[in-house]
């Protein structure tokens, strides 16, 4: 029997038959299922685990040479085998004095060359040395990008905009995002902006993403139209003052009319959804908060990168534990969803970021080595969703507590509130924060322990209501607790924690977390539909579908769409 079968058997015969209430009654067990690293505490005592299972996790990790693989990845092997690429987002935050070799070349000098350019450029914008076309200070930044060229940046922006120092650094500045190709998103992004004070960052690794390129063109037109209204028509110079780009495709950024001095490159060894610590994130975030402040995000991420490969004891390695627990819940316990609940309003976009990192990475079943993996290694990436607590409690927690399926939860909290620093009434803020965190602690026990019929009866509940008030409990969760308030350093740690746990799960499942073939088919079909719509711009019935290979149901639907757009 191999180790994953042993784990499955132990779960079937022991843990699945032991209610979390019983597990939690064991003080000795509880003491062992918590660990800390660099200001982060991970408590996994409310998971369906015990010390015996953690020892089995260690055997699993050792037998699959997980740590060697993680080290090899950080050293530049072409782990992304389907695209023949190295996977080195960790190099983006490696200290300058170190080396990382890809194809015989140390990539660290290139990383710092771009970072230095980002620092110089963003400081010149923030200090007013680099100005807009009419010599006004560029106070607004609009980031045009989607998926990995958007979500991670928005998560970090939201996480830091209420941090005391972040507020001071960004005073008088605005950062906005334009991701969706919906024209309404364009209205929202540009609403009430003064073009003379606005800088655009076009973020696209490939510079071919349909949504981003269309939005970039719409914004380019908007800039020119706005300037025309002001009586300025020198298109080349106007655009040079207001457009910047981050991409690996420098040929296309040039064709788009962006001055090469305002283009910041990165490399094919940075996956899109892992690119937030490249110029993709560092450029717009530094425009908003200043380079030195954002550099702390990189330091925090680096701390976790090191911890991942250096801490070989699984019970102490935070990202490895998160990955193992994720694998265990999905592949052994067979839970299909995961709720990510930050008890921190500033993390409101963290679940959206993790949705992409996790589900675009591991939402696949094609094995890298199909013949090597047994059943328990099959990918079973959960469906991820989340909202900040306490809002989520008043939304979907009914299902989490009493629904027919168990949904494991990951709770994230902070010992201190961002609102405390600089507050005129720190005592009142602490009081409010304690109220918030009381819910964080209470939910964990409510989920694990539940409420039995006997307890309901003892409360004197009427007979007909008794079964409505029973909570099954035995619902697992884990808690991440930060020592400090959300700040750039620990936001970088959080980013890296979730990046690496996804990798650990991917390795255990034997899949390649760094490709995303599953998004291609829809893109191709959308292009085909688009050509039908273009061919039938003014045609509101019996559209011409020549060359369009689709079933009649889809054609009928498209016909209705155009018909609805016709005159009433
Ligand atoms: O959704 C597919 C995808 O390729 C993501 O992986 C990526 O983050 C996003 O599109 C945007 O890609 P790009 O940065 O090349 O515009």
């Amino acid at each position: 029997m191999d180790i994953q079968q042993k784990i499955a058997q132990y779960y079937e015969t022991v843990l699945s038959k032991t209610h979390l209430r019983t597990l939690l009654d064991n003080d000795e067990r509880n003491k062992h299922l918590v660990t800390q690293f660099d200001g982060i505490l991970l408590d996994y005592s409310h998971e369906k685990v015990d010390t015996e299972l953690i020892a089995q996790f260690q055997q699993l990790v050792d037998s699959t040479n997980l740590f060697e693989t993680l080290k090899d990845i950080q050293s530049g092997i072409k782990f992304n085998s389907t695209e023949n690429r190295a996977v080195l987002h960790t190099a983006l935050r490696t200290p300058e004095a170190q080396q990382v070799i890809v194809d015989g070349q140390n990539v660290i000098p290139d990383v710092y060359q771009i970072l230095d350019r980002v620092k110089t450029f963003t400081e010149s914008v923030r200090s007013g040395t680099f100005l807009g076309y009419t010599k006004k200070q560029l106070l607004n930044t609009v980031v045009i990008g989607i998926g990995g060229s958007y979500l991670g940046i928005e998560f970090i922006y939201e996480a830091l905009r209420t941090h005391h120092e972040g507020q001071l650094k960004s005073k008088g500045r605005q950062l906005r995002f334009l991701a969706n190709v919906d024209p309404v998103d364009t209205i929202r992004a540009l609403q009430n902006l003064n073009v003379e004070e606005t800088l655009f960052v076009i973020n696209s690794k490939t510079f071919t993403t349909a949504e981003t390129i269309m939005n970039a063109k719409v914004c380019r037109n908007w800039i020119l139209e706005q300037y025309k209204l002001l009586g300025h028509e020198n298109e080349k110079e106007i655009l040079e003052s207001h457009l910047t780009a981050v991409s690996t495709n420098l040929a296309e950024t040039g064709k788009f009319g962006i001055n090469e001095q305002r283009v910041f490159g990165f490399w094919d060894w940075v996956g899109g959804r892992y690119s937030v610590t490249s110029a993709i994130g560092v450029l717009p975030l530094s425009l908003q908060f200043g380079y030195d402040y954002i550099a702390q995000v990189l330091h925090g991420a680096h701390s976790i990168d090191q911890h991942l490969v250096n801490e070989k004891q699984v019970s102490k390695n935070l990202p490895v534990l998160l990955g193992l627990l994720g694998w265990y819940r999905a592949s052994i316990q067979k839970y299909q969803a995961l709720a990510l609940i930050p008890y921190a309003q500033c993390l409101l976009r963290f679940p959206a970021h993790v949705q992409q990192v996790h589900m675009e990475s591991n939402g696949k079943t094609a094995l890298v080595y199909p013949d090597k993996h047994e059943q328990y290694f099959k990918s079973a990436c959960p469906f991820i969703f989340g909202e900040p607590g306490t809002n989520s409690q008043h939304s979907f927690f009914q299902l989490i507590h009493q629904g027919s399926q168990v949904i494991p939860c990951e709770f994230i909290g902070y010992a201190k509130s961002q609102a405390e620093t600089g507050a005129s009434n720190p005592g009142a803020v602490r009081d409010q924060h304690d109220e918030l965190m009381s819910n964080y602690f209470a939910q964990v026990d409510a989920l694990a322990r539940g409420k039995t019929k006997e307890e309901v009866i003892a409360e004197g509940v009427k007979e007909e209501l008794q079964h409505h008030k029973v909570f099954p409990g035995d619902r697992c969760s884990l808690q991440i607790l930060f020592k400090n308030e959300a700040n750039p350093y620990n936001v970088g740690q959080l980013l890296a924690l979730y990046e690496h746990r996804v990798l650990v799960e991917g390795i255990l499942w034997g899949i390649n977390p760094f490709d995303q073939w599953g998004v291609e088919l829809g893109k191709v079909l959308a292009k085909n539909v688009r050509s039908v719509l273009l061919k039938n711009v003014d045609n509101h019935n019996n559209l011409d579908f020549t060359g369009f290979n689709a079933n009649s149901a889809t054609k009928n639907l498209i016909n209705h769409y155009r018909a609805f757009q016709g005159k009433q």
Side-chain angles (χ1 to χ4, degrees):
M1 189 189 301
D2 65 17
I3 183 62
Q4 73 271 18
Q5 284 168 322
K6 202 168 146 191
I7 290 173
Q9 194 187 61
Y10 186 61
Y11 175 70
E12 286 307 324
T13 55
V14 179
L15 291 173
S16 72
K17 297 191 163 51
T18 316
H19 196 285
L20 262 170
R21 267 178 183 235
T22 313
L23 288 176
L24 283 160
D25 282 342
N26 181 341
D27 296 344
E28 193 53 29
R29 164 197 176 269
N30 298 346
K31 207 165 68 187
H32 285 102
L33 303 180
V34 59
T35 185
Q36 288 191 50
F37 173 74
D38 197 11
I40 314 169
L41 180 144
L42 172 62
D43 187 328
Y44 51 107
S45 57
H46 289 71
E47 292 284 346
K48 216 55 186 293
V49 301
D50 62 6
T51 49
E52 168 60 29
L53 185 78
I54 299 303
Q56 292 175 1
F57 278 179
Q58 184 75 49
Q59 285 175 43
L60 173 63
V61 159
D62 295 341
S63 69
T64 51
N65 295 328
L66 181 82
F67 286 110
E68 284 81 350
T69 307
L70 294 171
K71 189 96 197 158
D72 287 348
I73 293 171
Q74 289 196 14
S75 309
I77 57 151
K78 300 220 165 156
F79 185 75
N80 177 354
S81 54
T82 55
E83 295 175 323
N84 195 29
R85 290 175 183 169
V87 173
L88 278 176
H89 42 283
T90 48
L92 300 168
R93 48 252 191 169
T94 294
E96 199 166 1
Q98 291 178 19
Q99 290 200 351
V100 177
I101 309 290
V102 181
D103 292 331
Q105 284 272 321
N106 178 16
V107 299
I108 299 301
D110 296 348
V111 168
Y112 279 85
Q113 195 242 350
I114 295 290
L115 284 178
D116 287 346
R117 286 187 52 222
V118 168
K119 179 173 163 71
T120 308
F121 177 68
T122 54
E123 283 176 356
S124 70
V125 172
R126 288 171 59 84
S127 65
T129 318
F130 183 90
L131 296 165
Y133 177 71
T134 47
K135 305 293 169 229
K136 289 216 168 124
Q137 208 173 337
L138 292 162
L139 298 171
N140 316 314
T141 305
V142 177
V143 184
I144 306 168
I146 198 163
S149 296
Y150 152 59
L151 290 161
I153 318 163
E154 194 179 42
F155 139 54
I156 294 183
Y157 164 64
E158 288 292 342
L160 297 178
R161 77 185 175 93
T162 38
H163 178 236
H164 185 58
E165 201 186 336
Q167 285 188 56
L168 297 176
K169 300 264 181 201
S170 59
K171 202 159 180 223
R173 306 195 60 86
Q174 287 192 69
L175 181 62
R176 297 196 188 178
F177 297 91
L178 172 53
N180 200 343
V181 75
D182 183 343
V184 175
D185 205 19
T186 312
I187 295 179
R188 288 167 183 244
L190 301 181
Q191 211 160 38
N192 302 325
L193 283 185
N194 177 355
V195 70
E196 296 172 281
E197 298 177 343
T198 304
L199 184 68
F200 288 80
V201 178
I202 307 171
N203 256 356
S204 178
K205 179 176 171 180
T206 55
F207 223 77
T208 56
T209 302
E211 294 92 331
T212 300
I213 299 307
M214 185 165 216
N215 279 336
K217 286 180 181 162
V218 168
C219 288
R220 186 171 62 183
N221 291 342
W222 180 82
I223 296 169
L224 296 175
E225 278 161 19
Q226 295 289 306
Y227 265 113
K228 213 171 185 173
L229 293 174
L230 297 169
H232 300 286
E233 301 205 8
N234 184 343
E235 294 193 0
K236 187 168 180 293
E237 282 189 24
I238 290 170
L239 293 178
E240 284 198 350
S241 307
H242 291 273
L243 289 184
T244 65
V246 183
S247 184
T248 56
N249 189 347
L250 304 188
E252 284 301 317
T253 55
K255 279 192 221 156
F256 197 86
I258 304 168
N259 183 320
E260 62 179 22
Q261 287 182 358
R262 247 83 76 208
V263 179
F264 300 85
F266 64 114
W267 308 271
D268 73 356
W269 39 262
V270 182
R273 54 195 170 273
Y274 297 90
S275 66
V276 65
T277 50
S278 74
I280 284 278
V282 178
L283 176 72
L285 291 166
S286 298
L287 285 164
Q288 181 67 4
F289 295 108
Y291 178 85
D292 292 339
Y293 180 79
I294 289 305
Q296 295 172 56
V297 174
L298 308 189
H299 302 328
H302 179 66
S303 150
I304 298 296
D305 299 343
Q306 292 289 287
H307 173 62
L308 173 77
V309 290
N310 292 337
E311 178 51 76
K312 305 274 177 15
Q313 228 176 302
V314 299
S315 60
K316 293 189 172 158
N317 187 317
L318 272 51
V320 168
L321 264 175
L322 285 173
L324 282 162
L325 289 166
W327 168 82
Y328 170 70
R329 290 186 205 125
S331 287
I332 307 292
Q333 295 182 282
K334 311 282 185 205
Y335 297 147
Q336 294 178 346
L338 167 64
L340 201 53
I341 315 293
Y343 275 75
Q345 194 60 26
C346 73
L347 293 188
L348 84 164
R349 294 297 285 157
F350 184 59
H353 165 68
V354 174
Q355 279 180 331
Q356 194 213 9
V357 172
H358 213 138
M359 295 197 275
E360 197 172 78
S361 296
N362 287 349
K364 58 192 71 153
T365 53
L367 300 174
V368 180
Y369 303 108
D371 45 334
K372 276 198 195 164
H373 290 95
E374 303 290 340
Q375 193 197 349
Y376 289 112
F377 277 77
K378 257 191 197 154
S379 170
C381 180
F383 163 65
I384 297 170
F385 65 105
E387 278 289 321
T390 58
N391 297 7
S392 46
Q393 292 175 201
H394 298 270
S395 166
F396 51 79
F397 266 53
Q398 167 63 42
L399 180 144
I400 302 245
H401 284 288
Q402 286 186 317
S404 59
Q405 55 185 309
V406 172
I407 299 182
C409 296
E410 295 186 358
F411 294 100
I412 302 169
Y414 294 86
K416 297 174 193 133
S417 169
Q418 284 185 330
E420 230 171 293
T421 322
S424 54
N425 52 352
V429 171
R430 177 64 67 97
D431 192 32
Q432 203 179 347
H433 186 68
D434 282 350
E435 175 78 21
L436 170 75
M437 291 302 288
S438 301
N439 285 276
Y440 166 100
F441 297 113
Q443 290 300 329
V444 173
D445 264 342
L447 286 167
R449 303 186 69 82
K451 197 178 204 183
T452 61
K453 184 136 188 210
E454 293 68 46
E455 285 168 329
V456 172
I457 293 168
E459 281 176 0
V461 173
K462 281 194 275 179
E463 198 179 343
E464 62 271 28
L465 275 184
Q466 283 167 2
H467 69 288
H468 293 280
K469 299 206 169 191
V470 168
F471 288 69
D474 209 21
R475 294 177 178 224
C476 58
S477 69
L478 63 79
Q479 291 70 48
I480 294 173
L481 181 65
F482 286 93
K483 184 173 179 210
N484 293 317
E485 80 287 358
N487 60 38
Y489 185 83
N490 62 32
V491 163
Q493 290 180 309
L494 183 61
L495 175 88
L497 258 186
Y498 276 77
E499 286 176 348
H500 297 322
R501 65 90 55 91
V502 168
L503 170 59
V504 170
E505 289 176 34
I507 293 173
L508 292 173
W509 280 320
I511 55 170
N512 174 9
F514 300 101
D515 60 18
Q516 58 284 319
W517 304 108
V519 302
E520 294 307 320
L521 181 59
K523 286 185 193 173
V524 174
L525 296 187
K527 266 193 191 159
N528 297 347
V529 176
R530 186 85 180 103
S531 40
V532 167
L533 293 176
L534 280 172
K535 209 169 9 166
N536 293 280
V537 175
D538 297 316
N539 187 3
H540 295 293
N541 58 83
N542 294 327
L543 304 195
D544 173 7
F545 283 108
T546 318
F548 183 66
N549 185 15
N551 55 57
S552 60
T554 307
K555 288 179 183 167
N556 288 341
L557 190 61
I558 298 171
N559 259 325
H560 282 304
Y561 171 71
R562 266 292 185 253
F564 280 177
Q565 290 179 329
K567 287 202 182 79
Q568 297 300 311

